[in-house]
Amino acid sequence: MAGLEQTRQLVTEIPGPASLELTKRRAAAVSHGVNVSLPVFVARAFGGIIEDVDGNRLIDLASGIAVTTVGNSSPRVVEAVRAQVAEFTHTCFMVVPYEQYVAVAEELNRITPGSGEKRSVLFNSGAEAVENAVKIARSYTRKPAVVAFNHAYHGRTNLAMALTAKSKPYKSGFGPFAPEVYRAPVSYPYRDGLLDKELATDGEKAAARAIDVIESQVGADSLAAVIIEPIAGEGGFIVPADGFLPTLLDWCRKNDVVFIADEVQTGFARTGAMFACEHEGIEPDLICTAKGIADGLPLSAVTGRAQIMDASHAGGLGGTFGGNPVACAAALATISTIESDGLIERARQLERLITEPLLRLQAGDDRIGDVRGRGAMVAIELVKSGTAEPDAELTQKLSTAAHAAGVVVLTCGMFGNIIRLLPPLTIGDELLNEGLDILGRLLGDL
């Protein structure tokens, strides 16, 4: 697999004939409720390249939504998974436990923000981690309510949908949702600045706005937890103004409210720190992780302060597949790869390599309202020329054109007007630059 050439190559139109044939099979066999961003079928993937069944090689600027952070089929991960599969695939940790689960918990306790005693529990998906973090917070505080934020995305299960802000496609028609979920305004510097320049740069002021809503609509006496993505993911890669997160955390600590950081998309070196909370020096009470934890194998976790994590009764947490031994082996190899190969520093390099050309583009194109992000998690917010009005149509056209040109990108945002870039941290400079050049050229053509 290491021999997969790290160059873009188009031998057919996108999608090609083999992918079109598989698309027909998909339509006949798979629920139409599952959407596909790019209708090509993958045959192989490695580093920054996805090769489809027609032999086209596409530049991967998505990483399976921030999952293959260390690169698809990373050598250490492949080796660890092969070795574990040969030993055993499952016993259920709650029936007959195994060392691999404990080792992952130990690593998470070591690398997540916070210096005190910690505990971890393992699950399968980000949504599962989020739901269990709320369970743990309610068990600890004996309070029912939870506050999430505008532009939030926390998953597709019932409580996670309630926490998620965007209706279509995530919530529409799927209610009723879990009760006792409330929403507060997040710090969104670009959009806040259109109304109040000070609000755009003063995180403490933006936090005070949110806290006013929380105190008036919920009240600390009823509030078990506040849950927030340190950088909003699906909501548009919104980096809150400096001071917003620490002020919020300080209020939570003073009011016996558990502060949950949803680092499902931002975790594991993605933002140029092992976890995005580190950029503001905050130590959340609980942290939810998934996506980049195991290089593509399904695994998630909740890690946090021991006294909170141990509040649940024995048997209250778990799940049949949570902390599957093969996924645990992949996670240990992933964390080892991040640390051994200097991928936190690499994410910082990628931030510069991505943002500098995008900022040059923005200087000459007023349809680029904002370029933002941290590390290898960067967004382009597209607006109608001469305004700040979101341009979802242009965003979709650019995404479609990029796919046709062999560059895998994703869209996001409450208004559908954001292109998000999430390359694997192992992508080569030349390949990345080519992908960005293509995006820039296509935007000019549009």
Side-chain angles (χ1 to χ4, degrees):
M1 186 61 73
L4 184 55
E5 194 175 319
Q6 296 295 292
T7 57
R8 182 179 67 105
Q9 172 181 276
L10 299 184
V11 295
T12 72
E13 287 190 352
I14 303 290
S19 281
L20 288 171
E21 198 55 43
L22 283 165
T23 297
K24 289 180 193 169
R25 286 174 56 191
R26 175 178 73 87
V30 179
S31 166
H32 292 196
V34 180
N35 191 39
V36 170
S37 298
L38 171 54
V40 302
F41 281 75
V42 62
R44 301 190 297 162
F46 185 81
I49 287 290
I50 292 173
E51 185 176 278
D52 73 9
V53 289
D54 289 288
N56 299 298
R57 291 197 299 268
L58 288 70
I59 300 173
D60 183 10
L61 301 185
S63 300
I65 319 183
V67 170
T68 53
T69 301
V70 300
N72 227 304
S73 301
S74 182
R76 286 189 192 90
V77 176
V78 171
E79 187 181 338
V81 166
R82 280 181 176 148
Q84 182 55 49
V85 164
E87 296 295 337
F88 65 98
T89 56
H90 176 77
T91 62
C92 182
F93 187 75
M94 299 178 300
V95 178
V96 180
Y98 37 87
E99 183 186 356
Q100 293 85 340
Y101 186 118
V102 177
V104 171
E106 288 170 340
E107 286 292 270
L108 291 170
N109 297 345
R110 175 179 69 85
I111 66 175
T112 49
S115 53
E117 190 179 0
K118 284 181 271 186
R119 302 274 190 275
S120 290
V121 57
L122 306 184
F123 304 103
N124 304 290
S125 68
E128 221 180 322
V130 164
E131 295 228 0
N132 278 277
V134 171
K135 279 167 57 176
I136 292 164
R138 284 173 168 162
S139 183
Y140 175 71
T141 61
R142 303 296 174 192
K143 295 189 281 186
V146 184
V147 164
F149 288 81
N150 295 345
H151 306 278
Y153 178 83
H154 295 292
R156 293 176 182 262
T157 49
N158 188 270
L159 174 56
M161 276 193 293
L163 295 166
T164 292
K166 190 174 182 178
S167 177
K168 272 209 175 275
Y170 304 116
K171 302 168 71 168
S172 181
F174 296 142
F177 301 112
E180 290 295 335
V181 171
Y182 302 88
R183 200 162 305 284
V186 77
S187 169
Y188 189 159
Y190 172 61
R191 299 249 158 228
D192 287 346
L194 301 172
L195 306 169
D196 180 342
K197 294 293 182 197
E198 191 184 354
L199 197 62
T201 56
D202 186 342
E204 290 184 25
K205 184 176 180 180
R209 174 182 63 176
I211 289 164
D212 282 347
V213 170
I214 294 167
E215 289 182 335
S216 63
Q217 295 187 15
V218 191
D221 290 347
S222 300
L223 187 58
V226 162
I227 183 166
I228 189 166
E229 302 157 276
I231 299 172
E234 181 65 29
F237 287 20
I238 301 161
V239 183
D242 286 350
F244 180 79
L245 294 172
T247 304
L248 203 58
L249 175 61
D250 185 54
W251 180 86
C252 287
R253 290 274 156 83
K254 287 173 179 169
N255 289 279
D256 188 32
V257 173
V258 175
F259 184 96
I260 304 171
D262 178 344
E263 292 240 24
V264 168
Q265 191 161 167
T266 53
F268 300 99
R270 174 54 58 183
T271 66
M274 188 62 92
F275 296 96
C277 285
E278 295 173 47
H279 290 291
E280 290 214 57
I282 64 167
E283 298 180 0
D285 297 313
L286 301 178
I287 182 166
C288 300
T289 54
K291 289 193 184 293
I293 191 171
D295 196 40
L297 274 77
L299 188 69
S300 68
V302 181
T303 302
R305 288 164 52 200
Q307 68 190 101
I308 300 175
M309 291 293 296
D310 288 343
S312 304
H313 56 275
L317 304 175
T320 303
F321 294 106
N324 169 270
V326 182
C328 285
L332 294 170
T334 297
I335 293 166
S336 172
T337 298
I338 290 169
E339 294 185 329
S340 301
D341 294 359
L343 294 184
I344 294 173
E345 178 55 38
R346 176 60 178 161
R348 295 183 197 131
Q349 293 171 355
L350 290 174
E351 179 180 339
R352 179 179 54 79
L353 289 170
I354 297 168
T355 54
E356 285 179 0
L358 293 180
L359 289 169
R360 286 195 296 272
L361 269 181
Q362 184 187 25
D365 191 337
D366 70 351
R367 296 172 301 166
I368 300 178
D370 197 23
V371 173
R372 58 175 176 264
R374 281 193 164 126
M377 182 177 183
V378 177
I380 311 162
E381 179 156 0
L382 296 173
V383 295
K384 293 180 179 173
S385 184
T387 74
E389 185 184 340
D391 197 337
E393 185 183 356
L394 174 63
T395 307
Q396 194 54 54
K397 284 180 178 175
L398 180 57
S399 171
T400 301
H403 293 165
V407 180
V408 183
V409 296
L410 300 166
T411 61
C412 67
M414 286 291 285
F415 316 113
N417 68 315
I418 291 161
I419 296 281
R420 53 176 162 172
L421 305 175
L422 290 161
L425 304 186
T426 52
I427 194 171
D429 290 8
E430 196 174 325
L431 199 60
L432 176 66
N433 291 336
E434 182 184 1
L436 294 171
D437 287 346
I438 290 167
L439 269 183
R441 176 171 54 76
L442 293 172
L443 184 60
D445 293 345
L446 291 167

